[in-house]
Structure formats: structure tokens, C-alpha cells
């Protein structure tokens, strides 16, 4: 199926590895020009080289999306290098794990900046141009925790729900202008983040046993859902969360 996004321009943050890289790769494969962002220069350059290996135009710009100044710098450099953006994939690493009792104000403030305000600031910056041109796609990478909070991932649980509520509200504001705002909510996906959270093999095996599909997701399976939300075919889908979790969340809605 032709997703009708060839020639569009996308910014993918958190694109040097894991789910963000897989989404960037899926977009590149559709003929989308991609600006890839992450903090670590070397890892980002290596990722951009892989993404551009088949001749695709990929721009690598390092930035920490938890810092408003770096977001501004990233967006200015993006505008200078590729012009206006048609697609935004708002993604980054998740905030650290910890039970509610272990988290002080500073930990909460960092999580707000990293997960909520990065999505807010990025969206706020790209929406005017998208509205003006009557076409845009914003996809936030959240988590299955928006449907079912996960153990000690207090900060992630709370921040993903805040991003979801923000996205739903923004979706209504921009819907009449050809701009959609959605979230892809991954279940347990085989990436470095998962390795960090579940280092021990026994815990990992127990987790896999609890997933109806009986395996972790591949990052490209999350990317496929994000890609659909970026397509022309998804023009009538907005304000939604697409759960890609191997059947893990058992609720009806
Ligand atoms: N993997 C899972 O099972 C799973 C499940 C549900 C939700 N999620 C969520 O999905 C998102 C992606 O997860 P993942 O597994 O792909 O993570 P990952 O493998 O750790 O990759 C995270 C990516 O984001 C970049 N990044 C991290 N912090 C950043 C920052 N402050 N500014 C800019 N870039 C940043 C990383 O590069 P640098 O470190 O170089 O910046 C890397 O490119 C996370 O928010 C995660 O919580 C993951």
C-alpha cells in the first residue's frame, strides 16, 4: 500500500536506537526525509549513516529534548537544514523507575521536562507550519502504562497519561486543519531500555510468560503502527492511542 508520504519531512527524536530508530527507518523506507535527533553524537551519527545507507537523505542533529534551550536549537537547525516539518515523532528515553515513596520533587520535575514538556514543546513548535499547509502528523511514543500502570514505573505511568491527555486536547484544536495527533503505546519491546529495566533472565522469562503473544515486541512492530498513523490513510484517525502490546492489556477499551 502506498502510504502517500513520500517526499514529506519528519523529525524523529530519540532516533539513535530502539523504537525511535525503527520509526525513523520505517519513514526513510517510505521516502520520507528524516531529521534524527538524540543526545549522544557518536551513536546518532552511526544511526544516521545506517538510515542513509541506501541513499536516503537523513540529517542528524544532537539534542537533549528535556532541555527547552536544546529543543529550540534543534528546531532552528531543523528549519535551516530541511525547512518545514510535516511529521513529528516525539520520543525519548523513559524516566527512571522507582516506587512513589522514593521520588522527590527534583525527580518529578526532571520527568515532567523529559516526557511531558518535550512532547508539548515539540508539538507547539511544529503545529503552526502544519496548520498553515493543511497537513501534519504528530505521533507521541508513550507506553501500555497509559492503560495499565506498570509496577515501579511511577514517573513513566504518570507522565505518559499526561502526554495522552495533552495529545487528545491538541487533536481537537488542530483537527480541522488536516493535522492529526496520536500516540503509539508500545508494550514490552526488545530494546536497550528493556534490558536496563529487566536485567535478570528470570524476571524477563516471567514477563514473557505474562504476555499473551509470548514474546517481546520487535521495535519494527511498534514502528509499523507509528507509520500507519503518519499515513494519508490515517487522516480520519486523531486523538487516539494505538496499543501495540501483544495482547498484554486485557481491558475491553
Ligand atoms: N522498550 C520498551 O519495552 C518500552 C515499552 C513501553 C514504552 N517504551 C517507551 O518508548 C520510548 C523509547 O523506548 P526505547 O526502548 O526505544 O528506548 P531506548 O532503546 O533506550 O532508546 C531511547 C532513544 O532516545 C534517546 N534519548 C534518550 N533520552 C533523550 C533525551 N533526553 N533527548 C533526546 N533523546 C533522548 C536515546 O539516545 P541518547 O541516549 O543518545 O539520547 C535513544 O536514541 C521510551 O520513552 C520508553 O519509555 C518503551
Amino acid at each position: 500500500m502506498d502510504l502517500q508520504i513520500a517526499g514529506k519531512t519528519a523529525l524523529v527524536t530519540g532516533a539513535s536506537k530502539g523504537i525511535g530508530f525503527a520509526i525513523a527507518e520505517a519513514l526513510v523506507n517510505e521516502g520520507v526525509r528524516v531529521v534524527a535527533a538524540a543526545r549522544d553524537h557518536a551513536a546518532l551519527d552511526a544511526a544516521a549513516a545506517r538510515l542513509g545507507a541506501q541513499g536516503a537523505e537523513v540529517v542528524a542533529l544532537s539534542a537533549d529534548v528535556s532541555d527547552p534551550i536544546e529543543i529550540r536549537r534543534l528546531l532552528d537547525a531543523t528549519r535551516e537544514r530541511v525547512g518545514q516539518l510535516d511529521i513529528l515523532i516525539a520520543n525519548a528515553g523513559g524516566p527512571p523507575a522507582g516506587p512513589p515513596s522514593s521520588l522527590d520533587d527534583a525527580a518529578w520535575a526532571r520527568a515532567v521536562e523529559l516526557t511531558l514538556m518535550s512532547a508539548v514543546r515539540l508539538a507547539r513548535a511544529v503545529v503552526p507550519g502544519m496548520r498553515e499547509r493543511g497537513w501534519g502528523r504528530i505521533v507521541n511514543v508513550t507506553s501500555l502504562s497509559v492503560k495499565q500502570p506498570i509496577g515501579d514505573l511511577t514517573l513513566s505511568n504518570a507522565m505518559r497519561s499526561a502526554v495522552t491527555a495533552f495529545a487528545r486536547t491538541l487533536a481537537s484544536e488542530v483537527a480541522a486543519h488536516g493535522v492529526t495527533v496520536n500516540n503509539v503505546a508500545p508494550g514490552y519491546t526488545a530494546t536497550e531500555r528493556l534490558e536496563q529495566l529487566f536485567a535478570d533472565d528470570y524476571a524477563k522469562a516471567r514477563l514473557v510468560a505474562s504476555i499473551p503473544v509470548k514474546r517481546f515486541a520487535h521495535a519494527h512492530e511498534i514502528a509499523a503502527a507509528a507509520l500507519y498513523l503518519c499515513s494519508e490513510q490515517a487522516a480520519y484517525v486523531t486523538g487516539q492511542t494505538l496499543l501495540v502490546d501483544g495482547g498484554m492489556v486485557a481491558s475491553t477499551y
Side-chain angles (χ1 to χ4, degrees):
M1 191 197 297
D2 177 7
L3 301 181
Q4 299 174 55
I5 52 174
K8 304 269 189 208
T9 303
L11 169 63
V12 184
T13 60
S16 64
K17 55 193 171 196
I19 293 166
F21 177 82
I23 296 174
E25 190 172 44
L27 289 166
V28 161
N29 290 341
E30 289 299 318
V32 173
R33 185 163 55 150
V34 168
V35 177
R39 292 167 304 178
D40 182 302
H41 290 260
L44 183 61
D45 285 347
R50 279 171 65 200
L51 291 169
Q54 308 299 324
E57 193 186 337
V58 177
V59 175
L61 295 172
S62 67
D64 179 346
V65 296
S66 69
D67 179 341
I69 295 167
E70 294 216 7
I71 289 192
R72 173 53 42 216
R73 207 173 38 76
L74 168 65
L75 292 164
D76 287 348
T78 298
R79 204 166 298 119
E80 207 171 281
R81 297 283 294 273
V82 301
Q84 299 271 24
L85 289 167
D86 305 300
I87 297 169
L88 166 67
I89 308 292
N91 172 60
S101 56
S102 73
L103 301 165
D104 59 14
D105 283 5
W108 277 98
R110 281 193 297 274
V112 168
E113 293 298 314
L114 172 65
T115 307
L116 174 60
M117 290 312 297
S118 61
V120 170
R121 290 179 179 124
L122 288 164
R124 204 168 49 197
V126 300
V127 153
M130 291 177 174
R131 278 176 75 138
E132 216 174 279
R133 294 189 307 288
W135 200 96
R137 298 285 183 269
I138 296 174
V139 178
N140 302 303
V141 177
T142 61
S143 166
L144 69 73
S145 69
V146 298
K147 301 274 184 184
Q148 184 175 288
I150 301 171
D152 277 351
L153 296 188
T154 313
L155 296 170
S156 179
N157 293 340
M159 291 305 119
R160 309 298 182 184
S161 289
V163 170
T164 306
F166 164 68
R168 184 64 197 83
T169 313
L170 177 62
S172 296
E173 188 188 11
V174 297
H177 303 277
V179 181
T180 68
V181 186
N182 292 290
N183 313 297
V184 63
Y188 295 100
T189 308
T191 66
E192 276 184 31
R193 161 99 173 149
L194 194 75
E195 291 299 326
Q196 284 160 9
L197 289 173
F198 299 95
D200 124 52
D201 283 347
Y202 178 67
K204 236 186 270 177
R206 279 189 46 174
L207 187 56
V208 166
S210 71
I211 302 169
V213 167
K214 301 298 174 203
R215 63 171 176 82
F216 294 132
H218 301 297
H220 67 79
E221 293 172 306
I222 312 302
L227 191 62
Y228 165 67
L229 294 171
C230 294
S231 71
E232 189 56 42
Q233 286 82 351
Y236 209 63
V237 179
T238 195
Q240 301 305 303
T241 290
L242 182 44
L243 199 56
V244 187
D245 71 341
M248 183 89 184
V249 174
S251 69
T252 309
Y253 300 106

